[in-house]
Structure formats: C-alpha cells, structure tokens
Amino acid sequence: MAPHIILELLAPLVAYGSHPLTLKRADGIVLDKPGKPSYDSPSSFTVIVLLQTFSKILERVMNSRLSCVARACGLLDQHQCGSLAGLSASDATTTLAHEVRTLQMAQRKVSTLFLDIKGGFDNVNSSSLCGMLKAKGVNPYLVSWTRSFLSDRTCCLLYQGSPKIFAPVSVGTPQGSPVSPLLFVIYVSRLHSEIPMGLTLSYVDDFGLTASSTSYRRNIQILQRQYARLKSKGARLGVSFSIPKTEFIHWRTNRDRAPISHAPIHLDGSVSNPRARSVGWVTGLPPQCPPRPTSP
C-alpha cells in the first residue's frame, strides 16, 4: 500500500475544485420491500446506491474542510445538530430537555411540535446551495467543488435482467456520501428562526418547534404561526414537511395539578393529537422530560 499516491492524485482535484465524471457514476441496487401485497409499483422497491470508493475518500476530505468553514463563516444555526463533530442526537435531546425545564421553572406551559422534512436530501438545489456558500465568503475552490460534485451525476439501476445503462440523476445530494448530510444541514439552516420564549431546534432533517405561554391553547396558536413561517421558508428552498410524520406533545411536570390538556394542533387540514408521555425524535431517542402524573 502507498497512501501518498492517493494524496497526490486527490491534491489537484481539491486545488481546482473539480469532481471528475468517473467518480460521479453510481450503481443502484434495486431490492424488493418485504411484505408487499404486489410488486407492480415502484413504491414496492427500494434502491441502495453504491458510490465509488475512491470518490468517498475525496468526499470525506472535503467534508472535513467544509465542517471547519461552516462554523467559521456562520453557515450553520447555533441550534442545528447532526452531521457535525460534537453535535449528536444526545446533544439535540439534551438541549430540548433543558429548554423545556427552564421554561417550566418560569411557571409557563410548554408544547413542542416535531416535524420531518419530506424527501430530505433529494431536495437540495445545487445552485441555491452554492449561492449560499459564495454569499458567506467560502473559498471559491470549495464552492466550485460543491457545484461539480452535485452536477452531472449518473446512476445505473441493477436488478435481474437489467441493462447496464447509466442515466442522468438530478436529485439533491447523493445517498451514502460522507459529505451529503453536511451539505443538507447547510442548505436548511435558513429554516431556523427565533421564537419568543421558545426554541427552534433541528437534527439534520428533523425539526422541533417549542413554544411556551400561560396556556397550552396559546402554545398551539404560536406553533401554528411558526409552522406557517417555516413552511413559507421551506417553499422558497424547495422543501416541504411530511404531515403524517408530525408529532406533538404538551409537556408536564410531576407537580402539575392542572387538568391534562388534550388540545390538538391543526396543520394543513390535518389534526395531530398530543402524545401521552414521550415522542420518538432524531433516531428514535425520546426527549427526556419529567413524566406527567397519571392523574391531575
């Protein structure tokens, strides 16, 4: 093995901000989803994308550089977690739990709305992303590499009897790439906004809007307004939220003796009822807050 050869090959690509076409070809393994009543629809299958191994080495190098630049240039919101060293799912849930407890100590009612971006990485627009990087003063070679990396990609779907034909792919950031999560997090950083006496917190494509006031019904009104703003910002970026995956909770403390609120929230014509004790958020870890009593 001679690792220095790899570095010598990668150095010009990094310097000139180029990602070669040969490294942008991927194989897509088409697999049946188990338990489907029929397989006459594309939704009955899933595609596992296999990227070039050599390309992943370069992508990991660029991910490391972009991570440093993202922090230094203010490309990320302070309440974004995931895809960055030191900001894990545990950090997101701990931050949420701390904020909820702090607001409860101020004798306020607290509610949180959990949202999931529909399609996630598929919605990243290369031109918009590169425009964001350029506007923040990111080094031109990084901007050029990002544009090159996301453009002119091709994929060959592999299944029994399939022809070995590569077709153009123009859907956001590639699945399985080491740099895709970071590019996505940078892209959706604009969705964060301030909530008076509340918090907008995200873990990659999972958003949590927390509001506090003197009543749970007032919280619902605040969250509905915040969702409308978030939806409007998302539309400008080409992203939307999956309402069926929405979760909602009214937080309570062990000392809370007020009647339990079952007030739901209405979003885009759908109703989300509050969860009883916990919610599944960011990789399935529920935010840990004091459980509410079984009776008021």
Side-chain angles (χ1 to χ4, degrees):
M1 294 293 291
H4 67 279
I5 296 178
I6 296 178
L7 296 178
E8 291 173 0
L9 289 171
L10 292 178
L13 301 178
V14 173
Y16 289 100
S18 175
H19 199 79
L21 286 172
T22 54
L23 298 184
K24 292 189 280 189
R25 304 178 73 177
D27 289 332
I29 311 300
V30 181
L31 300 176
D32 301 353
K33 291 182 180 178
K36 292 292 182 179
S38 67
Y39 292 89
D40 55 359
S41 169
S43 62
S44 300
F45 302 87
T46 186
V47 179
I48 304 299
V49 179
L50 304 180
L51 304 177
Q52 301 282 344
T53 301
F54 191 81
S55 177
K56 285 191 174 184
I57 298 174
L58 175 57
E59 292 162 33
R60 190 167 292 279
V61 170
M62 301 308 285
N63 181 74
S64 178
R65 296 193 178 194
L66 274 171
S67 294
C68 297
V69 169
R71 297 176 190 270
C73 295
L75 285 166
L76 303 170
D77 187 270
Q78 62 177 332
H79 292 131
Q80 283 184 284
C81 296
S83 305
L84 291 166
L87 293 175
S88 64
S90 297
D91 294 298
T93 54
T94 300
T95 299
L96 176 59
H98 176 269
E99 182 70 13
V100 169
R101 289 192 177 101
T102 299
L103 293 169
Q104 288 175 329
M105 289 176 64
Q107 306 301 312
R108 300 179 72 85
K109 304 296 184 183
V110 188
S111 306
T112 301
L113 176 66
F114 298 94
L115 299 163
D116 182 86
I117 293 181
K118 187 187 299 182
F121 296 0
D122 294 345
N123 298 311
V124 175
N125 181 281
S126 175
S127 298
S128 298
L129 175 61
C130 290
M132 293 171 62
L133 298 177
K134 187 176 181 179
K136 288 292 186 177
V138 174
N139 194 299
Y141 87 88
L142 283 173
V143 180
S144 296
W145 181 86
T146 301
R147 181 180 292 108
S148 176
F149 172 70
L150 296 178
S151 63
D152 301 319
R153 303 194 67 88
T154 59
C155 182
C156 177
L157 295 181
L158 301 178
Y159 52 90
Q160 186 175 4
S162 65
K164 187 75 173 181
I165 300 175
F166 284 87
V169 177
S170 57
V171 284
T173 57
Q175 179 192 119
S177 168
V179 74
S180 287
L182 177 59
L183 293 177
F184 176 79
V185 168
I186 293 173
Y187 187 70
V188 298
S189 61
R190 292 181 178 181
L191 296 181
H192 280 258
S193 60
E194 294 295 325
I195 301 179
M197 295 302 292
L199 172 72
T200 300
L201 181 67
S202 70
Y203 180 84
V204 191
D205 60 348
D206 295 305
F207 274 71
L209 308 181
T210 299
S212 71
S213 68
T214 55
S215 71
Y216 291 120
R217 291 194 176 277
R218 174 63 177 161
N219 288 348
I220 291 173
Q221 296 173 355
I222 296 172
L223 291 173
Q224 286 174 325
R225 287 198 300 268
Q226 287 302 126
Y227 170 73
R229 296 191 185 101
L230 196 64
K231 180 181 176 181
S232 177
K233 287 184 177 181
R236 291 194 289 271
L237 289 176
V239 301
S240 59
F241 295 88
S242 178
I243 297 301
K245 294 183 179 180
T246 298
E247 293 188 273
F248 180 54
I249 192 169
H250 296 305
W251 301 108
R252 292 172 61 87
T253 69
N254 289 327
R255 297 182 178 180
D256 197 337
R257 294 295 181 266
I260 298 174
S261 175
H262 298 287
I265 188 169
H266 296 258
L267 301 173
D268 297 341
S270 297
V271 178
S272 293
N273 293 301
R275 298 292 297 272
R277 290 179 177 273
S278 64
V279 289
W281 190 55
V282 303
T283 71
L285 295 175
Q288 298 299 312
C289 279
R292 68 184 190 182
T294 55
S295 59

